[in-house]
Amino acid sequence: MKILLIGSGGREHALAWKINQSPMVSKVYCAPGNAGTSFICENVPIAADDTEKLLSFAKEKSIDLTVVGPEQPLVLGIVNLFEKEGLAVFGPSEKAAELEGSKSFAKEIMKKYNLPTADFSTFSDADSAKAYLEKKEYPLVIKADGLAAGKGVLICNKKEEAIAAIEQIMEEKLFGQAGAQVVIEDFLVGEEASYLAFVDGENVLPMASSQDHKAVFDGDRGPNTGGMGAYSPAPIMNQEVMDMVTREVAEPMVKAMAKEGRLFKGILYAGLMMTSQGPKILEFNCRFGDPETQPILLRMKNDIIPIFQASINGSLDQCKVEWSDAPAVCVVMASKGYPGSYEKGLPISGLNSEGGLDDAMVFHAGTSLKSGETVTNGGRVLGVTATGQHIQGAIENAYHAVSKIKWDGAFYRTDIGRKAIKT
Ligand code: AMP
Ligand code: GLY
């Protein structure tokens, strides 16, 4: 089979690595990919959101299966476009991807079907949003409605901050059109966890649990990022909790989407807050998490291709996934300045093209090749991912590999995985 993988992050390098292991696969193209994917696939210089060009490429190369990494092409309707041409593509349709593309849509559907989530209100003008702040308690959470690369959520500790947040999002348009509406949501207290499942429109096949680290600095301090590290499994989501989330969150949501005429296929990702009243939904995403995918795929024993096919064909009830007992940890190495502005093009030392480093896999994210040398090309640069017999061993293996990789201004959190030891 010839596969087209869309995206250029750490998630896509991990997917490329996993897809390449399938005996069913003869060739993998990655559009646009990064330095890491170029070592194991053929990179194609087409942007992930250039859906028409991707379609022409898939037709020209007779691609058998397209796997979409990021949310943008999904929200733009790449699945509809490919399906119309009779091409097999893994992911949700445009209408189903709205679950991630619009936070107000997601909150309305959660409310309509009584799924556990924080109370909220939606506003499309700044004055009414500000008026609503008068009667609220703090902290309060203000979210840009549309896609904002994980950065469109502001936690406000007092009214003045909330007013400033509304002005930034709705008047100064910090997140562009994504801020045309805001969702204002009650603050939830607890530990976060990520629930990801393969879905085929009806059946839900959960993956192993995982936990992200969203804040940029140790101890969950500083602004939110796309994710500074992850581990799997998350002890806070034991089997009992996973089953409960499948029953009370994932399955009802998949049913709800079908009922709304928005059949959901692909990955359903629920970001959860484990509150004292049980798990509550922070958000839904319609694709693999980044960096959660890196440790999750390191633990996945099966060939992933039949699972993609079963999601497309509606036969996930016939599939089983097996997970290695060895926990896995991914430490993200980032560029100085991230999640703000940062320099690009800095040479990285300590890597090899096989991707392995001692006991770890180095999944590339923001990297590119310049005269044969791997250089930085993004905020999140590498996801160094390792397994271990226990979580402590996985942490040590990951950080051991991290210590060998250098570039000017590289930084990373030093406490990835610590919460798994505490619990
Ligand atoms: P979201 O993109 O909606 O998942 O929000 C990004 C991050 O903001 C989450 O991972 C949480 O850390 C935080 N967050 C979002 N909603 C809430 C909430 N209602 N209460 C507390 N923290 C939240
Ligand atoms: N790790 C967070 C996300 O993928 O949205």
Side-chain angles (χ1 to χ4, degrees), residues 116-353:
T117 191
D119 283 343
F120 72 101
S121 278
T122 303
F123 299 94
S124 47
D125 77 280
D127 287 341
S128 0
K130 285 183 200 168
Y132 176 77
L133 300 179
E134 296 300 331
K135 41 185 185 202
K136 295 306 291 182
E137 284 175 17
Y138 293 81
L140 195 63
V141 186
I142 303 195
K143 302 183 173 185
D145 182 58
L147 295 181
K151 294 165 201 159
V153 174
L154 301 172
I155 308 229
C156 306
N157 289 306
K158 43 185 198 242
K159 197 169 83 187
E160 292 70 37
E161 284 177 27
I163 291 173
I166 290 169
E167 286 171 353
Q168 279 176 344
I169 297 175
M170 303 191 85
E171 291 168 4
E172 293 156 32
K173 306 231 173 292
L174 187 61
F175 308 110
Q177 262 312 101
Q181 283 193 72
V182 289
V183 170
I184 304 186
E185 188 173 292
D186 290 354
F187 182 75
L188 297 171
V189 180
E191 199 174 313
E192 286 182 51
S194 303
Y195 171 98
L196 282 86
F198 296 99
V199 172
D200 66 1
E202 186 183 349
N203 302 291
V204 173
L205 184 63
M207 294 185 219
S209 65
S210 59
Q211 193 178 59
D212 189 8
H213 298 66
K214 296 241 157 111
V216 68
F217 299 127
D218 284 8
D220 294 331
R221 287 176 304 111
N224 269 350
T225 68
M228 292 299 292
Y231 59 86
S232 171
I236 194 166
M237 292 252 281
N238 59 25
Q239 195 56 49
E240 195 185 332
V241 180
M242 282 295 290
D243 291 345
M244 182 171 96
V245 175
T246 301
R247 246 184 0 255
E248 294 177 12
V249 172
E251 287 175 350
M253 182 45 87
V254 170
K255 273 205 185 84
M257 291 296 276
K259 211 162 158 199
E260 297 287 319
R262 296 170 185 262
L263 201 72
F264 195 102
K265 292 181 172 196
I267 303 292
L268 183 69
Y269 162 151
L272 301 170
M273 187 70 92
M274 314 305 277
T275 73
S276 53
Q277 286 120 44
K280 299 223 172 175
I281 306 157
L282 293 172
E283 64 167 345
F284 280 110
N285 294 322
C286 63
R287 36 83 195 167
F288 282 101
D290 190 342
E292 292 94 323
T293 300
Q294 290 83 315
I296 287 178
L297 290 188
L298 219 57
R299 298 185 55 223
M300 185 176 175
K301 289 185 177 173
N302 311 50
D303 186 347
I304 201 164
I305 297 294
I307 300 181
F308 288 149
Q309 291 176 316
S311 160
I312 294 170
N313 301 333
S315 56
L316 272 179
D317 53 333
Q318 326 263 315
C319 292
K320 251 193 150 150
V321 220
E322 285 188 63
W323 304 98
S324 154
D325 289 335
V329 172
C330 169
V331 177
V332 169
M333 299 182 74
S335 297
K336 183 176 160 196
Y338 177 76
S341 57
Y342 47 82
E343 215 180 314
K344 288 183 184 177
L346 302 167
I348 307 172
S349 66
L351 299 174
N352 62 54
S353 59

Side-chain angles (χ1 to χ4, degrees), residues 48-98:
D49 58 0
D50 195 343
T51 52
E52 291 289 348
K53 263 203 189 141
L54 291 165
L55 175 66
S56 308
F57 178 84
K59 279 168 46 182
E60 179 195 317
K61 296 288 181 191
S62 310
I63 295 294
D64 298 296
L65 171 66
T66 297
V67 178
V68 188
E71 58 277 16
Q72 211 131 21
L74 294 166
V75 171
L76 290 172
I78 194 169
V79 168
N80 306 64
L81 197 66
F82 275 52
E83 281 182 346
K84 222 165 45 197
E85 299 282 336
L87 293 171
V89 52
F90 174 76
S93 67
E94 183 176 0
K95 272 165 83 183
E98 209 175 334

